[in-house]
């Protein structure tokens, strides 16, 4: 059982790294949010990453497709892509920690 759980976390980490690479290439900004829990975490399994990417509207379909393709060879990993979200999702209140941002290349 532990081996299976370790493999699942490894696959989730690989997926997160792949998505981050896509985000660095395509997004104007990135914010890491607290992982969803309870009723907000739809579906079975554990929510391990909750990131948002500020992607230009004209690149949204390609971004969505590329992100969803990252799990094709990783069984047990699911990605939920939502949005578009309003740009204020990337803002932080005064005095709060600034979200992670990735400058466009």
């Amino acid at each position: 059982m532990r081996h299976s759980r370790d493999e699942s976390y490894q696959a989730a980490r690989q997926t997160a790294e792949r998505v981050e690479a896509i985000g660095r290439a395509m997004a104007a900004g990135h914010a890491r949010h607290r992982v969803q829990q309870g009723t907000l975490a739809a579906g079975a399994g554990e929510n391990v990453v909750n990131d948002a990417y500020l992607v230009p509207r004209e690149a949204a379909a390609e971004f969505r497709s590329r992100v969803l393709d990252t799990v094709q060879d990783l069984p047990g990993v699911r990605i939920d892509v939502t949005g578009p979200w309003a740009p204020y999702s990337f803002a932080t209140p005064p005095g709060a920690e600034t979200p992670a941002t990735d400058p466009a290349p």
Side-chain angles (χ1 to χ4, degrees):
M1 181 73 155
R2 181 177 168 89
H3 183 65
S4 177
R5 182 178 171 103
D6 290 344
E7 287 175 347
S8 294
Y9 276 106
Q10 174 67 22
R13 186 174 64 246
Q14 287 177 338
T15 301
E17 290 169 355
R18 292 175 183 181
V19 171
E20 287 175 10
I22 294 166
R24 280 191 301 275
M26 297 186 70
H30 167 244
R32 175 145 293 161
H33 298 290
R34 183 173 53 102
V35 296
Q36 300 292 321
Q37 298 175 339
T39 58
L40 295 176
E46 182 178 350
N47 187 306
V48 296
V49 178
N50 183 16
D51 287 355
Y53 292 91
L54 186 59
V55 178
R57 185 177 310 248
E58 62 274 5
E62 178 185 357
F63 179 80
R64 177 183 296 270
S65 176
R66 289 180 62 186
V67 165
L68 291 173
D69 284 348
T70 63
V71 295
Q72 293 302 317
D73 63 338
L74 296 170
V77 177
R78 185 185 84 236
I79 292 182
D80 295 321
V81 179
T82 61
W85 292 91
Y88 64 74
S89 301
F90 297 88
T92 55
E97 187 175 317
T98 304
T101 56
D102 297 324

